[in-house]
Amino acid sequence: VKTGGKNGYRFFDPAFYGALQARQQLEKELQAAISENQFVLHYQVRVSTITRQVVSLEALVRWNHPTAGLVRPDEFIPLAEETGQIVALGELVVDSVCAQIAAWTRAGLAPVPVSINVSSRQFNERDMHALFLQALDRHAIPAHFVEIELTESAMLHDPQRTSAHLNAMHALGIRLLVDDFGTGYSSLWMLQQLDFDILKVDKSFTRLLGADRQGEILFAAIITMAHALGMKVVAEGVERPEQVDILARLRCDELQGYLIARPLDADGVQAEIRKRAIA
Ligand code: C2E
Ligand code: CA
Ligand code: CA
Ligand code: CA
C-alpha cells in the first residue's frame, strides 16, 4: 500500500493511525463548535494583595461539548492553534467577553476589567487592533475594561507589526499583560519591545515559594525589576496560605489562584466580587 508523503510509513502503525483519526475527529468537532458557538467563558478573579478586592477577571474558555461536557482549554487550544481555528475561536472569545461586560453593566453590576488571552496566530492572521475596536464599539464598552494577556510566542512572528498593533490598542486604554513570565526563551526581550502594564509571573515560580529559598530570591528580583519599570506584578497559581504571606512581604501587587478562587461562571464570579466588596 502506498500511503504517500515522506512519513507515509507511519500509517502502518495502528497507534499512530488511531491518534491521527482522533485528531481529525476533534478538528471536525471543533469546527462545528465554532460555527455553533459551543463555548462558555469562566472567569477567575485577580485580587489586590492588600485589600483582597477584585481588580480584574481572567476570561478562560471552556468547550461545552454536546456529549463530553465541559472540556478544558488544554485539550483543544493547542490543536486550534495548529489548525488555525484559534483565529475564529479567538474572535468568539473577544465578542463574548465584551457582550458579558455590557450585560453586567446593564444589570447595574460594577464592571470589572476582564483580561483576554491571545495567541500568536491571532496576531499573525488578523488585525487585532481592528478586531478589538469593533467589539468594543459593538457592545459600547470603554477600552479600559479590557486587558490583553500575551506570551512571548505571540510576539515572535512579526515583532514590529505586533508591537504596532499593541501600541495602538494600549493608546486606546487597553492594558497589556505579560503572561507566564519567566518561562519561554526570552521573556525579558518582550519587556524591551513594549510598554507592558502588568507582569504575570508563571505559576511554576509561585509553586517554589515556601519550599525553596531560590524561588523566593527569583520572585523578589522579578518584582524589583517590574516595579522599577513601572509595572504591577501578579502571582498566578497561588494555592497555599504561606505563599500569600511571602508574596505580601515581597510586595507582590496582585494574586490569582485556586486559594483565592477557582475559575467560576459569570454568575458565580459576580457573587465572588460582591462577597469581597463587603468583606
Ligand atoms: P493561562 O493563561 O496560564 O491560564 C491560567 C490557567 O491556570 C487556567 O487554566 C487556570 O484555570 C489555571 N489555574 C488558575 N489558578 C490555578 C492554581 O492555583 N493552580 C493551578 N495549578 N492552576 C491554576 P485553564 O483554564 O485550563 O486554561 C489553560 C490555558 O488555556 C490558559 O493558560 C491559556 O493559555 C489557554 N486559554 C484559556 N482561555 C483561552 C482563550 O480564550 N484564548 C486563548 N488563546 N487561550 C486560552
Ligand atoms: Ca493567562
Ligand atoms: Ca499564565
Ligand atoms: Ca499558560
Side-chain angles (χ1 to χ4, degrees):
V1 181
K2 193 163 185 305
T3 51
K6 62 178 182 220
N7 294 325
Y9 69 93
R10 283 200 183 238
F11 287 98
F12 293 110
D13 175 356
F16 179 79
Y17 188 65
L20 183 73
Q21 267 190 327
R23 200 193 113 103
Q24 285 172 341
Q25 178 65 21
L26 183 62
E27 186 178 339
K28 229 174 70 190
E29 289 184 19
L30 201 50
Q31 203 52 49
I34 291 167
S35 54
E36 294 166 24
N37 195 358
Q38 296 173 356
F39 301 98
V40 288
L41 290 172
H42 280 187
Y43 298 90
Q44 188 178 34
V45 302
R46 204 167 88 212
V47 302
S48 155
T49 308
I50 295 170
T51 68
R52 299 297 158 88
Q53 302 223 343
V54 177
V55 293
S56 179
L57 310 174
E58 180 174 8
L60 295 161
V61 69
R62 275 93 182 89
W63 177 4
N64 194 3
H65 189 278
T67 55
L70 277 195
V71 183
R72 303 261 316 243
D74 289 337
E75 309 211 21
F76 60 92
I77 294 278
L79 180 70
E81 282 176 348
E82 246 183 78
T83 61
Q85 289 167 311
I86 191 69
V87 176
L89 172 52
E91 287 182 17
L92 286 178
V93 169
V94 172
D95 190 70
S96 306
V97 166
C98 293
Q100 184 64 72
I101 295 171
W104 281 330
T105 308
R106 279 196 306 275
L109 299 163
V112 174
V114 178
S115 70
I116 300 176
N117 291 285
V118 178
S119 322
S120 55
R121 280 197 77 158
Q122 293 175 257
F123 268 99
N124 303 341
E125 295 175 30
R126 277 289 183 284
D127 179 345
M128 293 303 282
H129 174 238
L131 182 85
F132 271 76
L133 205 59
Q134 283 158 16
L136 292 168
D137 205 52
R138 189 157 53 239
H139 298 285
I141 314 270
H144 64 264
F145 285 133
V146 173
E147 301 174 336
I148 295 182
E149 302 202 2
L150 286 162
T151 60
E152 166 206 46
S153 69
M155 297 199 55
L156 283 179
H157 174 72
D158 186 347
Q160 285 195 331
R161 176 174 171 271
T162 305
S163 301
H165 282 196
L166 286 166
N167 274 324
M169 291 194 256
H170 200 211
L172 291 175
I174 296 177
R175 270 182 300 272
L176 305 178
L177 279 79
V178 183
D179 201 359
D180 299 344
F181 186 82
T183 65
Y185 295 103
S186 70
S187 306
L188 286 174
W189 168 85
M190 278 181 86
L191 302 183
Q192 187 187 308
Q193 302 299 309
L194 263 177
D195 187 13
F196 285 95
D197 304 283
I198 296 164
L199 193 151
K200 192 179 267 197
V201 182
D202 192 68
K203 41 182 172 281
S204 59
F205 289 88
T206 308
R207 195 173 302 130
L208 298 175
L209 296 177
D212 174 327
R213 178 86 186 123
Q214 295 275 97
E216 191 174 323
I217 292 167
L218 277 172
F219 225 114
I222 293 172
I223 292 169
T224 300
M225 176 198 66
H227 285 169
L229 291 168
M231 291 183 285
K232 287 197 168 177
V233 181
V234 185
E236 72 170 14
V238 176
E239 294 180 350
R240 300 192 309 271
E242 71 264 28
Q243 295 169 335
V244 175
D245 298 339
I246 296 167
L247 289 163
R249 177 159 48 76
L250 298 179
R251 306 248 182 284
C252 180
D253 304 277
E254 296 169 1
L255 310 172
Q256 185 176 347
Y258 294 162
L259 179 72
I260 315 299
R262 297 237 163 203
L264 300 162
D265 65 19
D267 290 339
V269 84
Q270 281 299 330
E272 182 69 29
I273 293 170
R274 280 196 301 277
K275 188 179 94 188
R276 289 176 176 275
I278 50 179

